[in-house]
Amino acid sequence: MASRLRRALLAALVTASVVVPLVGASGPGEVPAPKPVALGPVSVAGLQERYAANREGIRAAERMADRHGDRRRAAALRTMRKPGRRFLSFDGRDGGRAVEVYGDLGRARRVAVLVPGSDTSLDTYARLRNGALALSRRLGEKAAVVSWLGYKTPGTVEPEVLTTGLADSAAPRLVSFVRELTAAKPGARISLLCHSYGSVVCARAAHGLDAEDIVLYGSPGTGFDSARQLRTRATVWAGRGGSDWIGGVPHVRIPLLVTTVGFGTDPVSREFGARVFDAGDAGHSDYLKPGSTALVSMSRIVAGRDA
């Protein structure tokens, strides 16, 4: 038991030591926001009305953030409601939830859904958007990219980042969204691109996802021993860049008194059994950087080509 506790502590210390210099704060502050706009299921016919309604919801959240005195959040929201931005849903509460479309979802034959990892909130949303835009530009006009910030992500230096708790609660929401997307876009090829802790979310949701591909990148593990245990018809892919610090995090699962720490088998290992793609020399936040090997590989996967 002492050995197991030491390994768990090592995992936490490795994660904290490499991430604190990169992200600074551990999570978003609590900023008041109104209840989200009530909307029905996603449909192609109703996309423009949906985008307009969420733009007004973002405007209302911006006003509330201004009154609260949080200039950073208000500025982020002001950017999010600019003309041309397309949100399928928005909720400014508790760090924020937002689902944004890049490209023409109505006409798209291929759809990539990005599921982000830790420390993603409305305050850090630009990082997620930049990656989505790079992927969208790479895929071209016949594809759409959807950034799915549909759950409360853990802070990278918070205990939740070492357990599946937040992923377990996020997984049903991801399944529900992908089902709506599938119903709205029958025949479209849907791929899930899951970064870091987002790969844990995708793994917990995998058996309920109607998708062609589930791509795990920069993953600490999934909480499963093998891709087979995900119980999905999708092709499971995995990639890790040569400069990604997460490769140094121990791939263990250690039961403690009330939870289990760690995510087990390395997704890029032969034991896990995923199809491994070339991620080049990407660092943990560089997979969707324009011109990167990882971006090229993942765009090929979304397009239905061999990575």
Side-chain angles (χ1 to χ4, degrees), residues 40-95:
V42 174
S43 70
V44 170
L47 284 176
Q48 297 306 318
E49 291 80 3
R50 195 178 189 98
Y51 297 154
N54 282 308
R55 189 173 297 112
E56 288 307 308
I58 295 170
R59 188 191 303 274
E62 177 196 338
R63 291 170 179 162
M64 193 169 285
D66 262 329
R67 290 196 296 269
H68 183 68
D70 193 313
R71 295 181 180 178
R72 181 185 181 191
R73 175 66 60 83
L77 293 170
R78 195 154 42 247
T79 298
M80 292 175 76
R81 68 171 176 83
K82 285 184 176 180
R85 301 286 293 267
R86 307 178 182 97
F87 286 88
L88 292 175
S89 65
F90 173 82
D91 185 348
R93 300 171 298 177
D94 193 24

Side-chain angles (χ1 to χ4, degrees), residues 104 117 144 212 219 305:
D104 189 342
E212 295 297 321
S219 174
R305 300 161 65 190

Side-chain angles (χ1 to χ4, degrees), residues 18-27 72 118-119 124 127 155-157 285:
V18 295
V19 173
V20 170
L22 295 177
V23 301
S26 62
R72 181 185 181 191
S118 59
D119 281 308
T124 61
R127 296 182 308 191
T156 317
V157 293
S285 301

Side-chain angles (χ1 to χ4, degrees), residues 1-303:
M1 175 61 74
S3 175
R4 287 184 173 184
L5 289 174
R6 282 196 297 271
R7 289 163 71 193
L9 180 60
L10 174 62
L13 289 175
V14 169
T15 302
S17 65
V18 295
V19 173
V20 170
L22 295 177
V23 301
S26 62
E30 293 301 325
V31 182
K35 289 181 64 176
V37 179
L39 299 168
V42 174
S43 70
V44 170
L47 284 176
Q48 297 306 318
E49 291 80 3
R50 195 178 189 98
Y51 297 154
N54 282 308
R55 189 173 297 112
E56 288 307 308
I58 295 170
R59 188 191 303 274
E62 177 196 338
R63 291 170 179 162
M64 193 169 285
D66 262 329
R67 290 196 296 269
H68 183 68
D70 193 313
R71 295 181 180 178
R72 181 185 181 191
R73 175 66 60 83
L77 293 170
R78 195 154 42 247
T79 298
M80 292 175 76
R81 68 171 176 83
K82 285 184 176 180
R85 301 286 293 267
R86 307 178 182 97
F87 286 88
L88 292 175
S89 65
F90 173 82
D91 185 348
R93 300 171 298 177
D94 193 24
R97 315 284 187 274
V99 180
E100 187 172 8
V101 174
Y102 309 81
D104 189 342
L105 182 59
R107 297 183 179 181
R109 298 178 184 176
R110 297 178 295 275
V111 182
V113 179
L114 298 184
V115 181
S118 59
D119 281 308
T120 308
S121 68
L122 298 185
D123 293 332
T124 61
Y125 188 80
R127 296 182 308 191
L128 176 60
R129 173 174 168 78
N130 288 341
L133 282 170
L135 179 60
S136 178
R137 289 164 183 154
R138 180 81 194 182
L139 289 171
E141 295 180 356
K142 295 182 180 180
V145 176
V146 179
S147 57
W148 187 82
L149 177 55
Y151 75 111
K152 179 178 175 61
T153 67
T156 317
V157 293
E158 294 174 351
E160 290 85 355
V161 80
L162 296 175
T163 75
T164 64
L166 291 176
D168 289 334
S169 62
R173 300 190 188 104
L174 179 58
V175 169
S176 178
F177 172 72
V178 174
R179 284 177 178 168
E180 283 189 35
L181 194 58
T182 302
K185 295 290 301 177
R189 178 186 177 89
I190 297 177
S191 301
L192 278 290
L193 275 58
C194 319
H195 180 235
S196 194
Y197 190 86
S199 66
V200 185
V201 176
C202 288
R204 310 312 270 189
H207 67 280
L209 295 175
D210 187 9
E212 295 297 321
D213 304 284
I214 297 176
V215 184
L216 315 173
Y217 62 106
S219 174
T222 62
F224 294 95
D225 294 328
S226 69
R228 184 180 298 109
Q229 290 183 357
L230 271 58
R231 295 183 292 123
T232 176
R233 71 169 186 84
T235 301
V236 180
W237 299 81
R240 183 169 63 234
S243 298
D244 191 342
W245 57 261
I246 210 161
V249 174
H251 293 283
V252 297
R253 295 187 75 221
I254 304 170
L256 300 179
L257 292 177
V258 295
T259 189
T260 297
V261 172
F263 303 109
T265 309
D266 187 347
V268 301
S269 68
R270 179 174 297 180
E271 292 78 11
F272 190 76
R275 292 193 67 182
V276 177
F277 67 88
D278 185 1
D281 197 39
H284 193 64
S285 301
D286 299 334
Y287 288 89
L288 296 178
K289 186 176 180 180
S292 69
T293 299
L295 176 62
V296 172
S297 295
M298 288 191 282
S299 65
R300 290 178 65 89
I301 292 170
V302 173

